[in-house]
Amino acid sequence: MTVLEDHLIHQCLDIILEPSKQAARLGVMLSDPIGLSHYCFTPLASYIPDTPEAMMLASGGGKTLPVTMAMYKQFGDYFRHKPQTKSTTLPQLTVVKSCADPNDVKAFFHEAQKFRLNGIEKLFWCDWVLVEPSHFFTPESLHHIHKQFYDHDAKWLICAVGERNLEAEASHRVLSTGHQTYIIAVSEDAVPTGILTALPCIDEEDIKHISDSLAEFHANKDMIIAAGVRRGKGNRVINNWWIPKLELMQSIVTSIYNSGVIGQWSANVTEHAHITEVKDPTRSSNNNNYDPQIC
């Protein structure tokens, strides 16, 4: 069922986005804010899903990622792996089609798995010019930075020094710049301005700081495992770095060069709308007879 659902999503996107594809290929006249007309082309600049959805849209299968070719055992490497590209994925799909009939979903999926693909025959972006998955799946602060910190970094800190000690230290410590130290929680709020990747304008010096910070982590990460503070379910110690968001962080600088600062690609608005338009009304329902209540 999941493969068929994924097929349907790609088919719907293919139909809905066809005008944008034509505009990217042929151009279209558009007006600017002061009424002047311009001949414009519309490449896919950014698509902002969570990681599982991005995997599905990129045609990734198994424990892979939508923007690089890294496998899960390589997620903790200190360098960025080769990017996912159209020139790699589409020829692989051609080989799969030569070995199995796309209408035979089970057989096609089996052949696609050999290339770590998810069995989607036609990707919605396959005929969109100037499009690359490693470019349009841009880093997103809520999922890639907030959740990375909350799901991993904060837990290592709490395990290492204790929750009370950490709260006491954060409550009174002030940086030399005058900004209060932040312990970042997962929320729909704005990222604190002290976070480098959230800056509205980033120059080469900022890029260097971002790269150096990530390199410093990788240079010292073994101490976290040695201290036994990287733990999983049941409080069991984990001795590997198979964390998808670590590999995704390797693409932040590349994405800034390709698509601009990541602060403009935010899921905050849609995540908040999901709460106000879906979750809150659902809590007000009786969980029966949905259609009349929606209407």
Side-chain angles (χ1 to χ4, degrees), residues 19-85:
S20 295
K21 295 182 186 181
Q22 291 184 13
R25 186 167 54 251
L26 304 174
V28 62
M29 296 300 296
L30 297 174
S31 298
D32 65 16
I34 61 173
L36 299 178
S37 295
H38 301 270
Y39 192 44
C40 301
F41 297 82
T42 55
L44 178 54
S46 179
Y47 195 115
I48 312 173
D50 57 20
T51 302
E53 184 183 355
M55 285 293 305
M56 179 272 293
L57 295 171
S59 191
K63 298 178 180 180
T64 58
L65 289 173
V67 294
T68 71
M69 303 290 287
M71 287 291 291
Y72 73 99
K73 290 186 178 181
Q74 301 170 316
F75 288 168
D77 288 345
Y78 65 90
F79 58 91
R80 184 175 189 258
H81 289 267
K82 292 182 178 180
Q84 290 277 10
T85 62

Side-chain angles (χ1 to χ4, degrees), residues 120-192:
I120 305 301
E121 174 199 0
K122 184 182 179 183
L123 305 171
F124 82 90
W125 47 266
C126 68
D127 54 351
W128 200 328
V129 298
L130 304 177
V131 158
E132 290 291 353
S134 57
H135 288 188
F136 68 73
F137 288 123
T138 49
E140 196 279 311
S141 297
L142 177 62
H143 295 101
H144 294 171
I145 299 176
H146 280 275
K147 284 186 66 64
Q148 159 68 22
F149 185 92
Y150 184 78
D151 292 344
H152 301 287
D153 304 55
K155 292 180 180 178
W156 303 334
L157 290 169
I158 291 170
C159 186
V161 303
E163 188 169 0
R164 288 187 177 180
N165 291 335
L166 188 62
E167 289 176 350
E169 177 70 14
S171 65
H172 66 74
R173 185 179 177 191
V174 178
L175 299 178
S176 59
T177 58
H179 295 292
Q180 182 179 351
T181 300
Y182 285 88
I183 300 301
I184 306 174
V186 178
S187 68
E188 286 73 36
D189 297 327
V191 183

